[in-house]
Amino acid sequence: MVANGTVPSPGPGESDGPLQGLFLGLISGTSADGIDAALVEFRDADRLQAHLVAGRTFPWTEELRDRLVALGQGQDAQSLDELGALDVQVGEAFAQAATGLIEEAGIAPFQVRAIGSHGQTVRHRPEGARFNGQHPFTWQLGDGNVIAERTGIATVADFRRRDVAAGGHGAPLLPALHAALLHDATEDRAVLNLGGIANFTLLPADGPVRGFDTGPANCLMDAWCLRHTGQSFDVVGAFAAQGQVDPDLLVRLLDEPWFMLPPPKSTGREHFHLDWLATRLRGSEAAADVQATLMELTAITVADALRAHQPATRRVLACGGGVHNARLLKAIAAQLPGMTVASTADHGVDPDFVEAMGFAWLARQTLAGLPGNLPAVSGARGPRVLGAFYPAWGQPKRTQPGP
């Protein structure tokens, strides 16, 4: 599990001290199918080099995953006590993932400059609570205090809320890293992350980087598959292959106002969940036909978004869990004739750990006092240093953030 690429070096007068060395990124995405951990080494050259030293996905316990998925789908917490306990439980699980990867890599904890932890999103309302435009927020569980205390490593967490406070969506946060790793000056490219939600980073050969969510990728397919087969995801699209696209259902699914919103835009499981699907079902559909139609929904909404915002794209580079669903990639390619659809693995970047690498990179940005967001992507009022810093109890002063 090794990937190489480049990220921007600091500008004139900016500190480069914290930028070199090992950083560890942690994320559990919208699908909540596990904690992705990536140990990344950053080194200066003409441009800073990013090297994936080790990566692994650590599973949730079934009980904890079920509760996190339920909260992410819009269920309310039973009490403040439950939320407080879950915040600590998620922090404990993230800390265990970090220490587990460090042990497997055969290094000492003090060799890691910092951990960047995304946490687990349980609610994402950048448009405002209950869609009334007031008090926008995003909420990720996983107490950074717990991670720093259990690992003995300085931790940066809670990356999204500063961007939301600055008027942005807090997402996507990784287009800057995608650009550094995968931009090509000879062709327009797009990086497609197929997690629970699909999102694009648009990388024109010459021009500004853009990015936005396109809608559901795996979240609906996974939930429907679990309900009807007992499997947590549709392995290689086999369940969908048993059915046929239901054109009437597809029309009803596509008749969703969110798809028509212009960027900046982001969404999550609290919007696209099984209750959302249930309001569009007639009740007589075969389960496999619904699965096939959900896959087609992902393919069409991804393709429509790309044609609308970067029609001259030559190459789509896919990452995230959906990259392993060959039938899904084939469906997307069928909607994008003339474009090459391939995995980021073809360009030296492990598709399973791009996001975790990104949060290692964001921790590096924070420690260097550098912005982590792109306002043109998130809609924030300007660049912001992201995340809350939780110092380690046993590390030297060099882990403190700022230039």
Side-chain angles (χ1 to χ4, degrees):
M1 301 178 183
V2 175
N4 293 298
T6 58
V7 293
S9 293
E14 294 174 331
S15 170
D16 64 357
L19 300 179
Q20 300 191 65
L22 292 171
F23 289 76
L24 197 152
L26 299 167
I27 180 172
S28 177
T30 307
S31 294
D33 49 7
I35 301 168
D36 293 336
L39 186 64
V40 187
E41 183 175 22
F42 296 104
R43 290 294 174 191
D44 278 321
D46 293 335
R47 293 169 63 84
L48 197 66
Q49 300 296 311
H51 168 72
L52 178 62
V53 176
R56 184 182 162 192
T57 299
F58 294 81
W60 291 105
T61 64
E62 184 176 354
E63 180 181 3
L64 183 53
R65 180 185 186 274
D66 288 347
R67 190 65 191 118
L68 293 172
V69 169
L71 288 174
Q73 291 182 161
Q75 291 187 18
D76 290 331
Q78 297 175 1
S79 66
L80 287 176
D81 283 344
E82 183 194 18
L83 279 177
L86 282 172
D87 195 28
V88 174
Q89 283 181 274
V90 173
E92 296 276 9
F94 272 60
Q96 290 170 11
T99 56
L101 187 65
I102 288 169
E103 290 173 2
E104 290 181 11
I107 64 170
F110 73 84
Q111 293 177 269
V112 179
R113 304 295 297 265
I115 293 170
S117 175
H118 170 270
Q120 177 65 60
T121 298
V122 290
R123 203 60 54 91
H124 185 63
R125 299 287 194 203
E127 72 290 322
R130 301 299 182 190
F131 303 95
N132 62 13
Q134 298 179 3
H135 312 302
F137 71 93
T138 186
W139 196 353
Q140 288 75 41
L141 296 182
D143 187 353
N145 294 288
V146 172
I147 298 171
E149 189 67 24
R150 301 297 182 268
T151 63
I153 299 170
T155 298
V156 186
D158 196 18
F159 288 97
R160 298 191 186 275
R161 292 205 294 178
R162 181 59 184 270
D163 186 88
V164 172
H169 276 247
L173 287 184
L174 302 188
L177 183 62
H178 291 162
L181 295 174
L182 296 164
H183 176 265
D184 189 290
T186 66
E187 64 180 10
D188 288 359
R189 290 181 170 183
V191 179
L192 173 60
N193 178 46
L194 293 168
I197 298 296
N199 59 69
F200 266 127
T201 295
L202 303 184
L203 303 175
D206 183 20
V209 177
R210 292 172 293 159
F212 49 87
D213 288 353
T214 67
N218 298 313
C219 61
L220 291 174
M221 289 190 288
D222 288 352
W224 188 256
C225 185
L226 180 62
R227 173 176 289 183
H228 291 278
T229 73
Q231 295 182 326
S232 58
F233 63 95
D234 189 5
V235 180
V236 302
F239 182 32
Q242 297 172 22
Q244 296 181 338
V245 173
D246 181 329
D248 293 333
L249 174 59
L250 182 61
V251 168
R252 295 194 295 273
L253 296 177
L254 288 168
D255 187 26
E256 160 59 51
W258 187 91
F259 294 132
M260 299 298 106
L261 294 175
K265 59 191 294 187
S266 61
T267 190
R269 193 188 285 270
E270 68 283 337
H271 189 128
F272 292 104
H273 48 68
L274 288 183
D275 287 344
W276 177 88
L277 175 61
T279 64
R280 289 151 176 84
L281 295 176
R282 295 290 184 258
S284 58
E285 298 90 349
D289 289 349
V290 174
Q291 187 76 358
T293 306
L294 291 173
M295 181 176 291
E296 191 71 1
L297 173 70
T298 294
I300 289 175
T301 51
V302 162
D304 284 351
L306 188 56
R307 283 191 295 265
H309 297 285
Q310 191 171 276
T313 298
R314 297 289 300 279
R315 194 174 307 276
V316 177
L317 302 176
C319 58
V323 77
H324 300 294
N325 187 333
R327 190 173 182 86
L328 175 59
L329 290 187
K330 184 177 180 180
I332 293 170
Q335 295 288 334
L336 295 171
M339 300 185 194
T340 299
V341 178
S343 168
T344 57
D346 295 347
H347 295 264
V349 180
D350 190 318
D352 292 318
F353 296 102
V354 174
E355 284 200 292
M357 289 178 68
F359 284 90
W361 174 77
L362 283 167
R364 182 193 69 91
Q365 292 292 99
T366 301
L367 263 64
L370 299 174
N373 65 336
L374 289 178
V377 170
S378 70
R381 288 185 286 272
R384 297 291 188 269
V385 178
L386 304 179
F389 179 75
Y390 302 87
W393 45 260
Q395 285 191 312
K397 189 177 180 180
R398 63 179 172 84
T399 60
Q400 303 303 315

